[in-house]
Structures are given as C-alpha cells and as structure tokens.
C-alpha cells in the first residue's frame, strides 16, 4: 500500500507558541479536551471566584469620589475680596472672615495729646450722651358735661397724639365719671388717667379750682416726675407749645392771646422777656392790674417735683401747693404762682424772648345749649325745606 508523506508548511516555522507548546499535532488536539475539562473543574471548584464580578472596581471608585466631594462640601469658605472692582482685585481670591474691615475700623485707636483710646468706646459714649430720656409732660384738663364737651376733648386729644412720648393726660370730672367721657378717652390713643373730684362744688367759679387741686393731689401722692401744665379743654394749643414744655427747669411762662370780653378785639396777656428772662407783663384789663403776676391759667407750666419735694427748690411755704377758692375770680393764677416762685428771677420765658403765641383762649363756648344724653339726639330733625 502506497504511503503519502506531507511535508510541513514553512509558514508555521516562525510562529511562537504559548507555554512552550508544540505546533499543531494530533497529540495537542487530543490533549485540549482534557485541559478544557480540567479548567472547568478548577473554576467550578472555587466558589469565591464565581462571586467576584466586574462591579467591585467601579463601586470602590464611586465610594472614593463620594467621600472627596462630601469633605469639599463641608469645608468653610470666607469672602472673596472684590472691593474696588478692578482687574487686579477680580483675580484676587484671598479669603477673609466676614466683617473684617468693620471690626478693624471699630478697633482703630486714636491718639489725642499722647493718650490713646479706642474709637469704639468713644462712639458708645457719644450715643449715650445723645440718648437722653425725655421729660414727662403732665397735662391737667378739668371738664364737665355740656354740649361742646365731646368736640373740645377730641380737639385736645388730637393735639396730644402728635406730641412725642411720654405724655400723661389727667382728665378730671366733677361728682362722677361720665360714660361718654370715658369712651372718648379710651379711643384717643393717649396715656390718660380719669379722675373724679369729690368736693361739693356749689359755685361754677370754684369748679375748675377743685378739679385742678384733685389732679395736684394725685401727682403729689404718686410722685410723678415731669412738667405740669393746666390745659383747659376749650383752649386752642399749638404742637410747638408741648414740645417747648420739656425745656422748663422750674417754672416757665409765655404770652397767651385771647378775645376781649366784648369779643371784638384780641388782647395779649403774659410776660415780656429779654431772652429767657422775664422783665415785665402784658395786660389790658384794669381790674387785674392789682395782680402780682399777669398770667393766664394756660400760660405757665412748672416742675412737678415742687409739689412733693419742696426742699429741693427751697420753697418758702410748708403747706401743700394748691389753688385757692377763697380769692376773687381772676386771681387764682397769681396766688398759685406766688406759692411756686418768689419773683421773676425764678421764671423762664418760653420760647426765648417770648416772641411767639403758642396757645389761644377764645371763650367761644355756647351758652344755654341743652346737653343731649350720650351726645345722641333721640328724635330725627324734620326737614323744613323739601327738595323739589
């Protein structure tokens, strides 16, 4: 039987084989199934290797980047200095804590005559000096039930609402406190005290005297510290008057404009001043020329400590300072002032030179007008002229 012998191809002579393997031969082909079976057997025999997958490496990378980002997010940063907006400052990323410049300015030290002190303490002292508590203005108003009472009280209340606090409005009624007056006071928005005078007032002339004395007793009892001013409800007051009251140290006075009894001309009553010094008096009524001080009841104010601390002012009288009901009408003002001051040297002109009229006493109250209960008319007014 003839045999055919095949020569090896020269193409495979230069091929490199892994692990020192031989070229293609039947033995190599025969050994490959055994190797495959042994590989399968080895892989199936290692259970840990089967659980290891391609997800472990990405998981560790994700965890590392997450921790880096978390730490960067929790890192505190300051402010980027961009004060002037120039190109140099725009690229200046110097980090400063907040409010560095303000704290440096407050802590800046100033040297005066070789003595250094902090500007912060200086500013605090200036603020404390500028902030001075305002004096309490105590406004005393006697009132009684009449047709124009609601109008008068509301007019005074609207003025007092514009005055800078603190302001205390003491309203005194006779015999009993009326419901109508209480309602008005509650709606004004002004701090008030509603008092009642229990004195038996048989004369209309003495009514205002006793009501003012009730307010003075209240101020003395509670030792209210401020400037006392008698403001009747039928007068007209400027806002500047109440603002000027806080400048009074002991006793202040000013001229008051009023209508003459004939109601056909205006007269002036009050002090003549040289600066803040009282040097004379305005008066036009012959019957009142015998008075020591020519002042209207609404033309003066005084320090409340005169009532409950007389030793401070060296007041000559030991009895309480009150208005007198035993003197003639028109002399209540001068007899009261004589208990407060000795002469014009203890007085202050308000405003300086007494050159302005701050309130008016017009005496325009209507006479013989019926007083409706609760200021409400029960019957409707009938039309006298019908509209065609």
């Amino acid at each position: 039987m003839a045999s055919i012998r095949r020569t090896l191809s020269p193409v495979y002579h230069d091929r490199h084989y892994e692990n020192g393997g031989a070229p293609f031969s039947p033995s190599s082909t025969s050994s490959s199934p055994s190797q495959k079976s042994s590989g399968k057997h080895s892989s199936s025999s290692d259970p840990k290797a089967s659980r290891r997958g391609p997800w472990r490496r990405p998981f560790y990378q994700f965890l590392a980047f997450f921790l880096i980002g978390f730490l960067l997010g929790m890192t505190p940063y300051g402010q980027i200095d961009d004060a002037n907006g120039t190109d140099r400052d725009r690229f200046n990323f110097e980090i400063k804590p907040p409010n560095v410049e303000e704290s440096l300015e407050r802590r800046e030290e100033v040297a005066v005559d070789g003595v250094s002190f902090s500007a912060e303490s200086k500013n605090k002292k200036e603020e404390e000096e500028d902030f001075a508590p305002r004096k309490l203005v105590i406004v005393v108003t006697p009132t009684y039930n009449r047709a124009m009472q609601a109008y008068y009280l509301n007019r005074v209340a609207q003025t007092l609402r514009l005055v800078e606090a603190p302001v205390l409005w003491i309203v005194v009624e006779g015999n009993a406190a009326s419901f109508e007056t209480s309602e008005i006071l509650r709606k004004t928005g002004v701090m008030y005290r509603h008092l009642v005078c229990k004195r038996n007032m048989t004369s209309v002339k003495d009514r205002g005297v006793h009501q003012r004395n009730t307010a003075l007793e209240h101020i003395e009892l509670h030792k209210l510290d401020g400037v006392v001013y008698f403001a009747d409800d039928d007068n007209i007051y400027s806002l500047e008057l109440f603002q000027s009251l806080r400048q009074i140290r002991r006793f202040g006075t000013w001229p008051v404009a009023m209508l003459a009894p004939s109601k056909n001309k205006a007269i002036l009553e009050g002090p003549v001043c040289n600066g803040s010094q009282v040097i004379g008096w305005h008066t036009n009524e012959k019957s009142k020329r015998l008075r020591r001080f020519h002042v209207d009841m609404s033309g003066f104010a005084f320090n409340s400590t005169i009532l409950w601390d007389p030793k401070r002012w060296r007041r000559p009288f030991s009895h309480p300072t009150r208005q007198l009901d035993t003197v003639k009408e028109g002399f209540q003002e001068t007899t009261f002032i004589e208990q407060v001051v000795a002469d014009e040297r203890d007085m202050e002109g308000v405003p300086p030179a007494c050159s302005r009229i701050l309130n008016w006493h017009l005496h325009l109250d209507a006479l013989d007008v019926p007083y409706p209960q609760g200021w409400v008319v029960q019957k409707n007014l009938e039309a006298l002229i019908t509209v065609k």
Side-chain angles (χ1 to χ4, degrees):
M1 183 174 181
S3 62
I4 300 172
R5 188 174 181 179
R6 179 180 295 178
T7 59
L8 294 176
S9 175
V11 180
Y12 301 98
H13 288 283
D14 299 330
R15 182 177 295 178
H16 299 281
Y17 298 97
E18 296 178 358
N19 299 326
F24 178 80
S25 61
S27 61
S28 65
T29 56
S30 62
S31 63
S32 61
S34 62
Q35 293 176 357
K36 290 180 180 179
S37 60
S38 63
K40 290 180 182 181
H41 179 71
S42 62
S43 63
S44 60
S45 63
D46 189 3
K48 293 183 179 180
S50 62
R51 286 195 297 267
R52 296 173 183 173
W55 55 271
R56 295 175 65 87
R57 183 176 180 183
F59 174 77
Y60 289 127
Q61 293 177 351
F62 170 79
L63 183 60
F65 286 118
F66 175 80
L67 293 176
I68 294 173
F70 179 79
L71 294 176
L72 291 176
M74 295 299 292
T75 303
Y77 291 94
Q79 297 178 351
I80 298 177
D81 188 9
D82 190 11
N84 298 325
T86 59
D87 295 339
R88 180 179 58 82
D89 293 334
R90 289 178 182 175
F91 297 98
N92 183 11
F93 294 98
E94 181 182 359
I95 298 177
K96 295 182 179 180
N99 301 330
V100 171
E101 297 179 356
E102 296 180 2
S103 61
L104 291 176
E105 291 177 0
R106 284 196 297 265
R107 295 178 182 177
E108 182 182 4
E109 291 188 354
V110 181
V112 179
D113 296 333
V115 180
S116 63
F117 58 93
S118 66
E120 182 179 4
S121 60
K122 180 180 178 182
N123 294 333
K124 288 183 179 179
K125 290 181 180 179
E126 291 179 354
E127 292 177 358
E128 292 177 357
E129 292 177 358
D130 294 339
F131 178 76
R134 301 189 187 98
K135 286 185 180 180
L136 173 66
V137 177
I138 307 172
V139 182
V140 177
T141 301
T143 186
Y144 61 96
N145 296 337
R146 61 193 188 279
M148 302 293 290
Q149 183 185 12
Y151 166 72
Y152 290 147
L153 290 177
N154 278 291
R155 186 174 62 182
V156 177
Q158 294 301 321
T159 304
L160 294 180
R161 288 184 63 180
L162 301 177
V163 182
E164 293 180 343
V167 177
L168 176 61
W169 190 19
I170 300 179
V171 179
V172 187
E173 283 193 289
N175 299 328
S178 64
F179 174 77
E180 293 81 8
T181 304
S182 301
E183 283 293 314
I184 290 177
L185 297 178
R186 278 194 290 267
K187 296 177 182 179
T188 57
V190 180
M191 183 172 61
Y192 73 92
R193 294 186 183 181
H194 192 185
L195 306 181
V196 177
C197 179
K198 299 295 185 180
R199 292 288 299 273
N200 185 15
M201 295 174 290
T202 57
S203 174
V204 177
K205 175 180 70 69
D206 300 334
R207 177 173 52 201
V209 173
H210 295 308
Q211 289 175 335
R212 295 186 191 96
N213 286 338
T214 300
L216 295 177
E217 293 173 1
H218 181 83
I219 296 171
E220 182 178 357
L221 176 63
H222 296 278
K223 295 184 178 181
L224 301 180
D225 190 2
V227 178
V228 182
Y229 176 54
F230 297 127
D232 292 343
D233 57 0
D234 57 345
N235 292 352
I236 300 175
Y237 307 95
S238 65
L239 183 61
E240 184 182 355
L241 169 63
F242 295 99
Q243 295 174 347
S244 302
L245 294 179
R246 291 191 171 97
Q247 303 174 5
I248 297 174
R249 180 178 175 271
R250 176 172 181 171
F251 183 93
T253 182
W254 55 90
V256 179
M258 60 182 65
L259 285 178
S262 59
K263 302 292 190 299
N264 58 359
K265 66 176 181 178
I267 60 177
L268 195 64
E269 189 173 50
V272 178
C273 302
N274 181 14
S276 60
Q277 182 181 3
V278 178
I279 59 175
W281 303 96
H282 293 287
T283 182
N284 291 324
E285 298 185 33
K286 295 181 180 181
S287 61
K288 295 182 179 180
R289 289 184 179 179
L290 298 176
R291 296 187 302 173
R292 175 68 180 84
F293 303 110
H294 300 271
V295 185
D296 185 74
M297 188 65 71
S298 60
F300 67 91
F302 60 96
N303 197 309
S304 64
T305 57
I306 296 176
L307 302 175
W308 49 269
D309 191 9
K311 294 181 180 180
R312 173 182 175 184
W313 304 101
R314 298 179 182 178
R315 190 162 54 88
F317 301 100
S318 58
H319 57 78
T321 304
R322 300 289 185 270
Q323 292 189 4
L324 305 179
D325 59 349
T326 57
V327 298
K328 294 181 180 180
E329 185 178 1
F331 284 80
Q332 287 89 358
E333 297 90 346
T334 183
T335 54
F336 178 79
I337 296 174
E338 290 172 5
Q339 302 175 59
V340 179
V341 296
D343 51 26
E344 286 81 358
R345 291 175 298 181
D346 296 332
M347 297 183 179
E348 310 166 35
V350 179
C354 302
S355 57
R356 301 189 62 180
I357 304 300
L358 301 180
N359 65 302
W360 295 263
H361 194 176
L362 301 180
H363 303 284
L364 296 179
D365 201 357
L367 301 177
D368 301 329
V369 177
Y371 167 72
Q373 185 69 25
W375 292 299
V376 176
V377 179
Q378 300 295 335
K379 297 181 180 180
N380 295 328
L381 298 177
E382 297 179 358
L384 300 179
I385 302 175
T386 58
V387 180
K388 296 181 180 180

